[in-house]
Amino acid sequence: MNNKLRNTLKAFILLGVFFISGQSLYSQSAVYFCTQSGAYSYCYAMNDAVACAEAKCYEYGGSSPILLAFTNTKGNGVIVEGKNADGKRVLGAAVGYGDYGAAFDRAVLECYYAGSVTIPIQVAQWNDGSDTNTN
């Protein structure tokens, strides 16, 4: 194999790696929740969803938000809300799922794990294969 062909192949491989890593970054989803204030936020289909969701949670009144869910995988996301025995908001979240039903089921399960004693209701849904959004 001549040198010019070898260099061309290397260039294509590097471009492919950069393209794939760029796509992975663009597909982030994250959910933050503050147990003290009940504030929550989520961001998806963006380069730094974690920083975005954390900043939005503070903006919405959170005092010490925690990362509830995060993924680099594109897919469906769902957030559900329930109440614990003290009447405080608890959340369940699922991100990066292949279909809405699976994401919803997992979010409900996570809400019960978080201490919900009420039937969780959906408060957010997205598919980050589409437009960028923050809430």
Side-chain angles (χ1 to χ4, degrees):
M1 187 182 285
N2 70 26
N3 215 15
K4 187 175 181 181
L5 182 58
R6 191 173 306 147
N7 288 338
T8 303
L9 286 174
K10 285 180 187 177
F12 277 121
I13 291 170
L14 282 174
L15 284 173
V17 167
F18 288 135
F19 177 77
I20 289 169
S21 20
Q23 290 297 320
S24 175
L25 288 176
Y26 187 71
S27 65
Q28 289 184 356
S29 293
V31 179
Y32 265 86
F33 178 57
C34 178
T35 57
Q36 282 100 6
S37 69
Y40 73 93
S41 64
Y42 62 99
C43 295
Y44 65 89
M46 55 185 5
N47 287 334
D48 197 355
V50 173
C52 171
E54 182 180 26
K56 291 282 184 189
C57 197
Y58 280 114
E59 191 178 304
Y60 298 152
S63 56
S64 53
I66 58 168
L67 182 62
L68 198 60
F70 166 76
T71 188
N72 277 326
T73 305
K74 287 185 178 185
N76 290 277
V78 174
I79 301 172
V80 297
E81 175 184 319
K83 301 282 184 192
N84 66 15
D86 297 327
K88 291 187 177 184
R89 175 189 275 175
V90 293
L91 293 183
V95 295
Y97 278 73
D99 65 74
Y100 164 75
F104 178 81
D105 291 347
R106 183 58 189 213
V108 167
L109 187 60
E110 291 297 327
C111 194
Y112 284 126
Y113 288 158
S116 183
V117 295
T118 63
I119 297 172
I121 58 166
Q122 180 176 306
V123 293
Q125 170 191 350
W126 67 91
N127 183 320
D128 69 0
S130 59
D131 298 326
T132 299
N133 192 11
T134 61
N135 288 304

